[in-house]
């Protein structure tokens, strides 16, 4: 790596990679392999433009935008010939001591059934806690489209989850 170009990049990438991976897992509906690929591609794109990224007002937000756009581009490229997820898991996760693994699995399953754009809106608005305007900018759409997609995505999640969340209400 050239010193001038990469100054501060390794530290930034190490500090942000965990959060990027968690966001990517949510975007992909739990596909950890695709999430790893998206994070790697995102960090590669950020490295190429590191001087611009580090000069940005919010480098972390910039990188999250790159991740989301990388995910949406991937979905567009691979939507017609992608493997389809099933509702049957190949193995059962080991129970965590005091953890909420079954709740996470339920939510990830429901997220996985949303369209890519609906998932992106939910992740950006509620996981990343971005404003409607920020979400619209990341997704290259209007604020009205984000509001509409949010309402529809949350309604779809409620329909998918149904009574499944009521059993977790006491936790």
């Amino acid at each position: 790596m050239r010193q001038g170009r990469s100054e501060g990049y390794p530290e930034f990438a190490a500090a942000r990679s965990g959060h990027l991976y968690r966001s990517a897992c949510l975007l992909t509906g739990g596909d950890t392999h695709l999430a790893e690929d998206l994070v790697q591609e995102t960090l590669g794109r950020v490295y190429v433009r590191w001087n611009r990224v580090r000069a940005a007002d919010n480098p972390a937000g910039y990188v999250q935008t790159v991740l989301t756009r990388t995910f949406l581009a991937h979905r567009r490229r691979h939507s017609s010939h992608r493997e389809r997820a099933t509702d049957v898991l190949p193995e059962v996760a080991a129970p965590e001591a005091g953890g909420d693994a079954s709740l996470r699995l339920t939510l990830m399953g429901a997220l996985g059934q949303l369209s890519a754009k609906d998932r992106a809106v939910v992740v950006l608005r509620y996981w990343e806690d971005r404003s409607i305007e920020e979400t619209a900018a990341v997704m290259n759409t209007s604020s009205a489209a984000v509001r509409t997609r949010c309402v529809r995505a949350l309604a779809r999640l409620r329909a998918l989850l149904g009574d499944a969340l009521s059993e977790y209400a006491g936790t």
Side-chain angles (χ1 to χ4, degrees):
M1 286 193 272
R2 294 186 315 201
Q3 183 60 23
R5 179 181 201 171
S6 65
E7 186 176 328
Y9 176 79
E11 296 81 11
F12 178 83
R16 295 301 303 163
S17 61
H19 187 79
L20 287 170
Y21 177 71
R22 288 186 295 277
S23 294
C25 283
L26 291 171
L27 287 169
T28 62
D31 185 340
T32 57
H33 300 291
L34 178 56
E36 290 171 350
D37 292 345
L38 290 173
V39 170
Q40 183 176 6
E41 186 172 342
T42 297
L43 290 174
R45 289 179 181 193
V46 167
Y47 176 73
V48 170
R49 292 179 176 78
W50 178 240
N51 286 333
R52 180 185 306 167
V53 174
R54 73 175 168 193
D57 290 337
N58 181 2
Y62 187 104
V63 173
Q64 287 298 137
T65 298
V66 173
L67 174 68
T68 303
R69 289 183 179 170
T70 301
F71 164 71
L72 291 172
H74 173 80
R75 295 301 296 203
R76 279 191 300 273
R77 283 192 308 265
H78 299 288
S79 64
S80 62
H81 59 279
R82 187 174 185 278
E83 294 178 11
R84 303 289 179 213
T86 67
D87 60 347
V88 178
L89 297 174
E91 56 191 60
V92 179
E96 295 180 23
D100 56 355
S102 56
L103 173 60
R104 282 196 311 264
L105 288 174
T106 300
L107 291 173
M108 290 300 287
L111 270 176
Q113 293 181 50
L114 295 178
S115 71
K117 287 185 179 181
D118 285 350
R119 231 184 343 232
V121 163
V122 169
V123 169
L124 288 169
R125 289 283 294 131
Y126 303 106
W127 170 256
E128 294 293 327
D129 198 27
R130 292 195 180 208
S131 70
I132 290 173
E133 292 75 22
E134 290 173 321
T135 302
V138 168
M139 296 183 68
N140 288 328
T141 191
S142 69
S143 295
V146 168
R147 283 186 202 92
T148 301
R149 193 167 287 280
C150 272
V151 168
R152 290 181 182 161
L154 291 176
R156 174 93 168 113
L157 276 176
R158 285 184 194 101
L160 289 169
L161 292 170
D163 295 329
L165 288 182
S166 65
E167 69 182 71
Y168 301 107
T171 55

